[in-house]
Amino acid sequence: MDQNRITINGHAYEFTPGQTILEVAQQNLIDIPNLCHLKGTRATGACRVCIVELEESWGRKIVSSCSAPAKNGMIVHTESPKIVAYRKFYIGLMLDSGNHNCDIGARADESWTDFQISAMENDQKEELCPVWGDCELQALAYRYQVKGRVSGRHREAVTLPIEGDNPFIIRDMSRCILCGRCVAACNEVQVNQAIDFGFRGTKEQIIAGTGTTLMNSACVFCGECVQVCPVGALVEKKALGKGRPWEVTKIRTTCPYCGVGCQQLLHVKNDTIVKVTGVEDGAPNQGRLCVKGRFGYDFIYSDKRLKTPLIREKDGFREASWEEALTLVADTFTRIIDESGPDALAGVSCARSINEDSYQMQKLFRAVFKTNNIDHCART
Ligand code: SF4
Ligand code: SF4
Ligand code: SF4
């Protein structure tokens, strides 16, 4: 294994051939900041924040750790003075590039609370950015005490209209830092190919379809792009005004919609769901959710939800106890099997049942009732 060792910040680590410097660092809990890297997708090196310095025989050179493969004998510095200076410059460029009205750049010397108060005072629209306090760019600007305004605007002043003509996602491209995570998430992770980079030079932006709204594109509103966006360019419409990031408790659960069993985090404030995200690195979905799992949770607050079993009689349904309902079902099944045999029965497992419940139901029909008349409702 001696030929697969690199040194990061003075400590030696083994690596597997093919791993990037960033992957080796993350595996060993070394924090290299980044804004465009998205696990499992092609490295783009777009944000330049993950740069590191390499010691070579002839001197030092700078590379993006997300795309540079680890090589035996490499000596890497992740926070050298030169790297910190460049990193601050790139963070400043991103702050300058759009409508980052949380004012992080101008207020970096103050305490967090003073900064929050001053940000509110300075926000002419009497509203803070919806991801204030949960923004990776803001956090990096604060960590590296970046003032912003490093070289004037490197793109034209961004005055793009906010797009919100759909029920789920608000797109504010004036806050987009063109990291490309959403494009990778849509095209490489979810394979929906609804969005991409469009236009050129200072007018470059993320476009839906050939320059339309999400509503008129191939978007299926899975919300993966929102989950990976590091800033406030993409936010959940239903979460707006429901709770600040530090006010919510995150509760892990299994999606109630189908048998796949995707792992979710419910962001809850005062017993109310603010938003739902997928559990990164959690099987089977590895962070992904579909439109139902991510946005379709309102039914849990419906006053039409059934709270007791219902028995159908001539005049319609009447409420019953579980014992009465289960006894009725068992007696009826027994009578049908006695009169007409087990193949007179058929079962359809609910599409919302979890995998394990559907498995138990087919066992009940095959092993206990002795019939193969069992199916699963495909309509979800
Ligand atoms: S996206 Fe981030 S940096 Fe930009 S205004 Fe919002 S919180 Fe601030
Ligand atoms: S919601 Fe899903 S399909 Fe729509 S743009 Fe985002 S990632 Fe693509
Ligand atoms: S919308 Fe968000 S994820 Fe997409 S490029 Fe802009 S900042 Fe990155």
Side-chain angles (χ1 to χ4, degrees), residues 233-251:
L234 300 171
V235 292
E236 294 90 348
K237 196 174 202 176
K238 290 164 72 170
L240 281 183
K242 297 257 179 69
R244 307 299 300 169
W246 53 88
E247 295 174 326
V248 302
T249 306
K250 293 181 190 171
I251 301 168

Side-chain angles (χ1 to χ4, degrees), residues 100-102 129 131 135 138 175 231-232:
H100 296 289
N101 65 344
C102 67
C129 175
V131 298
C135 169
Q138 188 189 54
R175 289 194 171 107
V231 295

Side-chain angles (χ1 to χ4, degrees), residues 173 175-182 206 225 228-231 233-234:
M173 290 298 106
R175 289 194 171 107
C176 173
I177 57 172
L178 292 171
C179 69
R181 275 193 199 169
C182 58
I206 306 300
C225 53
V228 300
C229 182
V231 295
L234 300 171

Side-chain angles (χ1 to χ4, degrees), residues 4 61 79 85 101 333:
N4 292 329
K61 76 172 179 184
E79 297 281 335
N101 65 344
F333 278 9

Side-chain angles (χ1 to χ4, degrees), residues 110-130:
E110 299 173 12
S111 72
W112 199 234
T113 310
D114 287 345
F115 165 53
Q116 183 170 3
I117 293 167
S118 60
M120 282 191 275
E121 283 169 354
N122 281 288
D123 187 348
Q124 314 247 318
K125 291 185 286 184
E126 295 179 3
E127 66 187 27
L128 283 173
C129 175

Side-chain angles (χ1 to χ4, degrees), residues 95-204:
L95 285 174
D96 288 350
S97 71
N99 175 29
H100 296 289
N101 65 344
C102 67
D103 217 11
I104 180 74
R107 301 281 156 181
D109 286 339
E110 299 173 12
S111 72
W112 199 234
T113 310
D114 287 345
F115 165 53
Q116 183 170 3
I117 293 167
S118 60
M120 282 191 275
E121 283 169 354
N122 281 288
D123 187 348
Q124 314 247 318
K125 291 185 286 184
E126 295 179 3
E127 66 187 27
L128 283 173
C129 175
V131 298
W132 203 102
D134 193 20
C135 169
E136 293 178 45
L137 177 60
Q138 188 189 54
L140 282 183
Y142 194 72
R143 169 172 161 183
Y144 286 97
Q145 296 288 288
V146 177
K147 302 277 187 188
R149 295 165 200 149
V150 292
S151 67
R153 290 178 182 274
H154 73 292
R155 298 198 255 162
E156 288 177 8
V158 184
T159 53
L160 299 167
I162 295 175
E163 180 192 316
D165 65 340
N166 68 77
F168 305 117
I169 298 171
I170 293 180
R171 292 174 85 223
D172 182 357
M173 290 298 106
S174 73
R175 289 194 171 107
C176 173
I177 57 172
L178 292 171
C179 69
R181 275 193 199 169
C182 58
V183 175
C186 187
N187 297 344
E188 294 182 50
V189 178
Q190 296 281 33
V191 201
N192 288 324
Q193 306 197 314
I195 53 177
D196 208 339
F197 285 90
F199 305 104
R200 292 285 177 95
T202 58
K203 294 193 184 307
E204 187 172 33

